[in-house]
Amino acid sequence: MELTGKRIALGITGGIAAYKSAELVRLLIKQGASVQVAMTEAATHFVTPTTFQALSGKRVYADTWDSTIDNSMAHINFSREADVLIVAPASANFLAKIANGIADNLLTTLTLARNCPLLVAPAMNLQMWANPATQRNLSTLRADGVSVLGPASGEQACGEIGAGRMLEAEEILADVISFFQPKLLAGKKLLLTAGPTFEAIDPVRGITNLSSGKMGFALARAAQEAGADVTLICGPVCQPTPRFVTRIDVVSALEMHAAVMQHIKAQDVFIGVAAVADYRPKHLAEHKLKKNDGANVPSIEGLQFVLNPDILAEVAALPAPPLCVGFAAESHNLAEYAQKKRAAKKIPLIVGNLIQDGFGGDNNRLILFDALGQHPLTPAPKLELSRQLIAHIAHLLETC
Ligand code: PMT
């Protein structure tokens, strides 16, 4: 539950994307938030207040002159009790009014009267979006500190294709969760590796490991939420890319090494989460190896290996290295092996996990090892642990 205790005011303006807001209310509540909805009169032509009342469990405000509202001060009270006001969908008309301080209906009035941050998720036809007046209004809103979520590009209700679609409910949810995270890495650049590598033996076979990429992707998301400019270099995994993270897909350790070296310049932090193969087969068979009726059963001893470059150690040995953080997954003797790796790679911090805790699952058990010793974190979901690790890294950046 990422939004436990958060009070969210949700404004809905007239647009076909209003149907997505019903799902947004459901997702916000599922994450522990309470949601109070206000709609413009136009919005009620697309989805009824009854829908939002049923989903939010609260009465929906839609009429400035509603005499049943206590002291007739809905426009003042509404945002006083909210941690954030989200307007989704936000029409071109609404954005124009808010950019110019116009308050001519309940939603524009309570937006003007708010004392909490405002997030808007625009939704409109692509020509309306591209219109200089709309863009001018958005510049004004951004300068006023309003966060603009999206819009997305794609097929529109009118059949045209282009920018102006409202973000999907899941994307708005991710942006709202991110909004509440402390911006501990604002202005910092962070590069990290994740997932396994795949070292080919022949055109279809290879040596790899069970890393799913979940730990590295969670860290990438946590770093981005903390305000960092994040580049994620990952081996073959099936994880969705966290929003606003630049993802570079590679296959082998040599490719990962090349990608890291290409992007390492000007990074403030480098984190090696990937389970990189230490060795690769010396020879890559040109054609698929044949079974040969089981006559010559291949043996791993028969396969010759060469050492892969140690990416983390190489980055740490650069003349002006970023803050380097490693990971160590061990089946036993975690403290001893992790500290040995930290010393060998000459890095200030290594994060240890047992293979049975770390590989594949959504949760993990981490211990931080530094020059002072070991600091265990309470077992938790990988995203929660990532946020703690990012806070630790931000502290190291400040104190180094
Ligand atoms: O992806 P998941 O399923 O979520 O699993 C996460 C994880 C268990 C893979 C992750 O938490 C983890 O522990 N990753 C490191 C795995 C490991 O034991 O790596 P290592 O001991 O081979 O390497 C130590 C450090 O050096 C790591 O930071 C690694 O990225 C780096 N390294 C290693 C070899 C190499 N050639 N280049 C490197 O940069």
Side-chain angles (χ1 to χ4, degrees), residues 193-197 209-217 219 237 239 253 256-257 260 270-279 307-315 325-330 337 341-342 345 347 350-364 366 382:
T193 62
T197 62
N209 61 69
L210 291 175
S211 170
S212 62
K214 285 180 183 176
M215 190 71 236
F217 277 61
L219 255 172
V237 292
Q239 300 296 330
M256 189 172 273
H257 173 258
V260 168
F270 175 68
I271 313 178
V273 195
V276 187
D278 290 320
Y279 298 94
L307 197 59
N308 275 325
D310 188 321
I311 303 166
L312 179 56
E314 208 172 306
V315 171
V325 179
F327 267 71
E330 308 293 343
Y337 292 150
K341 280 182 187 171
R342 192 179 75 82
K345 291 170 196 276
I347 53 175
I350 198 158
V351 183
N353 45 189
L354 290 170
I355 56 171
Q356 58 271 31
D357 296 328
F359 278 90
D362 292 329
N363 302 319
N364 203 352
L366 297 180
K382 285 178 176 172

Side-chain angles (χ1 to χ4, degrees), residues 91-110:
S91 64
N93 182 46
F94 172 82
L95 296 172
K97 286 178 182 174
I98 290 309
N100 290 285
I102 296 172
D104 63 350
N105 63 36
L106 179 61
L107 184 58
T108 49
T109 308
L110 65 86

Side-chain angles (χ1 to χ4, degrees), residues 98-170:
I98 290 309
N100 290 285
I102 296 172
D104 63 350
N105 63 36
L106 179 61
L107 184 58
T108 49
T109 308
L110 65 86
T111 304
L112 198 65
R114 77 187 183 280
N115 64 349
C116 64
L118 172 63
L119 314 184
V120 292
M124 66 197 73
N125 165 270
L126 65 101
Q127 307 290 1
M128 294 170 81
W129 173 253
N131 191 295
T134 304
Q135 291 306 316
R136 210 168 39 242
N137 291 330
L138 282 156
S139 301
T140 303
L141 289 169
R142 286 195 184 98
D144 288 348
V146 175
S147 301
V148 181
L149 315 183
S153 249
E155 191 172 342
Q156 303 201 311
C158 55
E160 294 185 307
I161 295 174
R165 276 172 62 92
M166 189 171 93
L167 295 180
E168 297 305 319
E170 290 81 5

